[in-house]
């Protein structure tokens, strides 16, 4: 055991490849201390981090990184959107970025952890990321293969629920990218934990990183803040995510006040205890209450469902999308639906709920490592800690994106969103024409590459529906439907065609023309275009039940 200050000062060196493990916590006090100690010192780190989130801006703003290896560079709260700090750094060339998907980044670290020269993947082929230096396609006696090179960080920063005095680290699922980076790290792991206990007797199944891999252990209660810590059966208290804090960081980046945010929350507190005092005991106790699976009820009481009679464009797209997902689930006899972020997520939730009410056994799954979870009202986010206790199978991205998606025993439908969708169904959430940076793949490439079928939800706008995307984040060959507020494309004979338009004023031909005019190209049109039934108040209310602030539905 040591202090947080000494753990970083002793074990992290300028020029290191630093892996910040996310798991379900998204953050570690070790990452905050890294920013505090190296702020303005130009250490030239390469950062390996599956999803940066708003706090990833610390490494950019403080001049800590020369290169980032990641799957997602954007905000996660209050919505999934570009962060101006990442955008400026990437577009200017100040920071080099290497884009991967969630699964392929984890697989590269797995290859390193296992001491293998490569890892086989079913992702990336047909996308712009296939040009990455760490990926290649080969013809082998077993058939064509996509291969990933190993990625070994020098040091891994992790937050675990507990450690024993020998340094064994106990974690709880879900674990997103897993602990491959901790096993792969050349020198080892710097760990923060909620508590150091005398022993972990009876908890060997929770130990994911054994002591010989651990360089330092720091007892840091609430060390995942503003992330949460789910620790069932481990002798520490769980706590939920501090969404307001994540929002504060994202808002500071947007308003150009990130330096002030950093001075208050990172550079100012010289110890972890100082940081906790700044948060305050009352707030920390409140966060513990957020781990209660029933805590959503307080949110629901504070945020009644909007009764606005006017349905937004996104509400039209999501409600039509829910219908389409339900149809595709039935057509493919799907076992699972993996919901992407935002409106696509809400549509999938509603669709699966209706399908199950009608007798289907289809389950919701999520890349974090969830199978069979049930979303709670008044919380529109995929990674909601309050669903963990009742989720029947908690795992990681390797299980969900590498097995539930594409495995022979499970038929999974993906429901995705993107900034751009082209006429072949290819998705772009990475970079627009002219180099404007968006956010990256997340798990979308893994889903689009191997799911049984994919439904995409977006708005019908010329800039969103170009003839070809500027960057192929995800290939389009498994996209069977593209749902918008003005109509639906469905794939027939390999071609996505205008197949349905909403009921409304004028003739079906008039509305079809309006849909076509909303595209950035002249799409193929079915000879007979279906007229969609008008949306009901109940359909939109079902979406608003989850997104009561209409963060994704405005």
């Amino acid at each position: 055991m040591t202090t947080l200050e000494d753990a970083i000062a002793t074990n992290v060196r300028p020029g290191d490849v630093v892996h910040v493990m996310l798991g379900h916590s998204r953050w570690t006090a070790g990452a905050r201390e890294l920013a505090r100690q190296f702020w303005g010192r130009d250490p030239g780190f390469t950062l390996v981090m599956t999803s940066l989130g708003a706090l990833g801006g610390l490494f950019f703003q403080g001049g800590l990184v020369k290169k980032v290896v990641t799957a997602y560079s954007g905000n996660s709260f209050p919505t999934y959107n570009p962060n101006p700090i990442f955008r400026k750094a990437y577009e200017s060339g100040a920071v080099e970025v290497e884009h991967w998907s969630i699964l392929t980044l984890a697989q590269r670290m797995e290859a390193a952890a296992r001491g293998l020269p490569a890892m086989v993947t079913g992702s990336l082929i047909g996308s712009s990321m296939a040009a990455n230096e760490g990926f290649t396609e080969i013809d082998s006696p077993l058939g064509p293969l996509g291969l990933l090179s190993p990625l070994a960080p020098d040091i891994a920063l992790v937050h675990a629920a507990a450690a024993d005095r020998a340094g064994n680290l106990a974690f709880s699922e879900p674990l997103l990218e897993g602990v491959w980076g901790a096993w792969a790290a050349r020198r080892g792991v710097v760990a923060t934990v909620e508590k150091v206990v005398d022993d972990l007797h009876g908890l060997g199944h929770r130990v994911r990183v054994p002591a010989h891999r651990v360089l330092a252990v720091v007892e840091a209660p609430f060390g995942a803040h503003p992330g949460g810590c789910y620790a069932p059966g481990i002798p520490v208290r769980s706590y939920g995510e501090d969404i307001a804090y994540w929002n504060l960081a994202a808002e500071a980046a947007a308003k150009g006040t990130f330096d002030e945010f950093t001075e208050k929350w990172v550079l100012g507190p010289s110890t972890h205890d100082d940081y906790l005092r700044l948060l305050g005991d009352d707030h920390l106790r409140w966060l513990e209450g957020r781990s209660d699976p029933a805590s959503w009820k307080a949110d629901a009481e504070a945020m009644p469902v909007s009764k606005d009679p006017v349905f937004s464009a996104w509400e039209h797209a999501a409600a039509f999308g829910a219908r389409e997902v339900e149809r595709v689930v039935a057509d493919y006899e799907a076992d699972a639906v993996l919901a992407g972020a935002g409106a696509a997520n809400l549509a999938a939730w509603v669709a699966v709920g209706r399908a199950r009410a009608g007798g289907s056994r289809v389950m919701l799954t999520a890349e974090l490592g969830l199978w069979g979870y049930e979303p709670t009202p008044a919380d529109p986010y995929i990674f909601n800690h309050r669903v963990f206790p009742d989720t029947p199978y908690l795992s990681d991205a390797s299980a969900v994106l590498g097995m539930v998606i594409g495995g022979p025993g499970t038929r999974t439908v993906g429901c995705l969103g993107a900034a751009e969708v082209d006429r072949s169904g290819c998705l772009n959430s990475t970079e627009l024409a002219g180099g404007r940076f968006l956010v990256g793949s997340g798990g979308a490439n893994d889903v689009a590459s191997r799911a049984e079928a994919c439904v995409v939800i977006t708005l019908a706008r010329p800039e969103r529906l170009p003839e070809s995307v500027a960057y192929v984040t995800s290939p389009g060959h498994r996209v069977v439907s593209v749902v918008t507020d003005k109509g639906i494309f469905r794939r027939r004979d390999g071609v996505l065609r205008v197949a349905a338009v909403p009921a409304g004023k004028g003739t079906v031909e008039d509305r079809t023309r309006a849909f076509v005019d909303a595209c950035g190209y002249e799409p193929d049109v079915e000879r007979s275009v279906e007229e969609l039934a008008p949306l009901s108040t109940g359909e939109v209310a079902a979406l608003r039940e989850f997104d009561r602030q209409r963060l994704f539905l405005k």
Side-chain angles (χ1 to χ4, degrees):
M1 283 184 61
T2 186
T3 66
L4 186 58
E5 300 77 18
D6 286 347
I8 297 299
T10 302
N11 294 294
V12 183
R13 306 167 187 169
D16 273 349
V17 177
V18 179
H19 169 53
V20 177
M21 177 187 163
L22 298 189
H24 65 259
S25 295
R26 303 183 199 251
W27 193 245
T28 164
R32 188 185 71 246
E33 180 62 19
L34 184 75
R36 191 184 76 83
Q37 287 194 24
F38 286 93
W39 189 270
R41 291 173 53 188
D42 191 23
F45 294 135
T46 294
L47 176 67
V48 179
M49 192 171 179
T50 300
S51 175
L52 296 184
L55 287 181
L58 293 170
F59 306 118
F60 291 66
Q61 198 79 351
L64 276 71
V65 292
K66 65 176 183 180
K67 181 178 179 179
V68 173
V69 183
T70 187
Y72 181 84
S73 302
N75 298 321
S76 297
F77 302 102
T79 61
Y80 305 96
N81 65 346
N83 183 296
I85 293 176
F86 309 143
R87 173 173 273 173
K88 179 181 177 181
Y90 294 161
E91 291 178 5
S92 69
V95 175
E96 179 186 353
V97 60
E98 197 174 287
H99 299 296
W100 297 91
S101 66
I102 288 176
L103 178 61
T104 55
L105 184 51
Q107 288 178 312
R108 292 192 66 201
M109 290 188 285
E110 180 182 358
R114 294 185 182 277
L116 297 175
M119 184 67 66
V120 176
T121 188
S123 301
L124 301 190
I125 294 172
S127 78
S128 296
M129 288 180 286
N132 286 355
E133 187 176 330
F135 176 78
T136 191
E137 299 174 58
I138 66 166
D139 289 322
S140 80
L142 301 177
L145 298 176
L147 296 180
L148 296 161
S149 66
L151 174 61
D154 294 305
I155 199 86
L157 307 181
V158 310
H159 185 77
D164 63 16
R165 297 199 178 277
N168 297 298
L169 304 180
F171 296 81
S172 288
E173 293 85 0
L175 286 176
L176 191 59
E177 78 274 46
V179 296
W180 298 116
W183 280 90
R186 294 184 179 93
R187 293 202 302 277
V189 175
V190 172
T192 53
V193 298
E194 296 297 315
K195 186 177 182 181
V196 175
V197 298
D198 289 334
D199 64 69
L200 291 167
H201 179 73
L203 291 171
H205 60 297
R206 293 294 187 198
V207 174
R208 294 289 184 267
V209 180
H212 77 285
R213 290 267 64 216
V214 180
L215 299 169
V217 174
V218 178
E219 189 172 75
F222 295 93
H225 182 271
C229 183
Y230 176 60
I234 298 175
V236 301
R237 294 179 69 93
S238 298
Y239 52 91
E241 290 196 289
D242 194 342
I243 293 175
Y245 187 103
W246 286 113
N247 290 345
L248 191 66
E251 182 181 8
K255 291 183 175 180
T257 58
F258 201 76
D259 285 342
E260 290 87 339
F261 170 87
T262 302
E263 183 60 42
K264 177 177 180 179
W265 293 104
V266 178
L267 302 180
S270 59
T271 67
H272 185 64
D273 286 342
D274 289 342
Y275 179 77
L276 296 184
R277 277 191 286 272
L278 193 58
L279 289 168
D281 288 341
D282 289 346
H283 188 63
L284 296 176
R285 298 289 83 76
W286 179 80
L287 289 174
E288 288 180 339
R290 299 290 289 177
S291 68
D292 182 343
S295 63
W296 64 266
K297 294 179 180 179
D299 295 343
E301 289 179 6
M303 296 181 289
V305 176
S306 170
K307 300 198 184 308
D308 186 349
V310 178
F311 302 160
S312 71
W314 276 115
E315 285 170 334
H316 278 86
F320 290 137
R323 292 181 188 174
E324 190 73 1
V325 170
E326 191 174 1
R327 183 188 70 80
V328 172
V329 163
D331 286 352
Y332 284 83
E333 298 181 339
D335 299 300
V337 173
L338 190 143
N345 184 44
L346 302 172
W349 287 356
V350 170
V352 169
R354 285 203 303 247
R356 289 182 61 81
S360 171
R361 297 180 64 185
V362 66
M363 293 285 196
L364 283 167
T365 188
E367 61 211 29
L368 177 63
L370 307 178
W371 168 273
Y373 73 98
E374 295 187 16
T376 62
D379 193 325
Y381 299 111
I382 310 170
F383 301 162
N384 173 3
H385 285 218
R386 293 176 287 200
V387 309
F388 296 170
D390 292 326
T391 298
Y393 176 45
L394 298 175
S395 56
D396 57 21
S398 292
V400 172
L401 296 177
M403 186 170 65
V404 171
I405 300 291
T410 309
R411 294 180 298 274
T412 302
V413 170
C415 184
L416 304 171
E420 292 183 330
V421 188
D422 69 18
R423 73 180 308 149
S424 65
C426 292
L427 311 181
N428 179 18
S429 58
T430 305
E431 184 179 292
L432 299 175
R436 191 67 165 161
F437 177 72
L438 298 170
V439 293
S441 168
N445 179 281
D446 305 308
V447 178
S449 295
R450 303 191 68 215
E452 196 79 12
C454 290
V455 175
V456 179
I457 297 177
T458 188
L459 298 181
R461 307 289 185 270
E463 65 273 17
R464 285 184 169 270
L465 298 172
E467 182 155 20
S468 61
V469 295
Y471 183 105
V472 180
T473 304
S474 305
H477 61 285
R478 296 184 184 271
V479 173
V480 298
S481 304
V482 177
V483 184
T484 78
D485 53 322
K486 296 181 184 296
I488 299 175
F489 295 96
R490 294 187 181 125
R491 192 179 295 277
R492 183 174 63 81
D493 298 331
V495 177
L496 285 168
R497 310 170 191 269
V498 173
V501 293
K505 295 180 180 179
T507 65
V508 170
E509 290 74 18
D510 292 337
R511 279 171 270 132
T512 299
R513 186 69 250 173
F515 184 19
V516 168
D517 289 344
C519 300
Y521 63 99
E522 189 73 18
D524 293 278
V525 179
E526 290 285 9
R527 290 183 180 178
S528 177
V529 175
E530 175 190 349
E531 183 173 48
L532 300 169
L535 294 181
S536 69
T537 300
E539 286 179 287
V540 175
L543 298 165
R544 293 177 181 177
E545 174 71 11
F546 298 114
D547 187 6
R548 297 191 175 202
Q549 295 175 281
R550 300 171 80 183
L551 295 170
F552 301 108
L553 294 174
K554 289 180 181 176

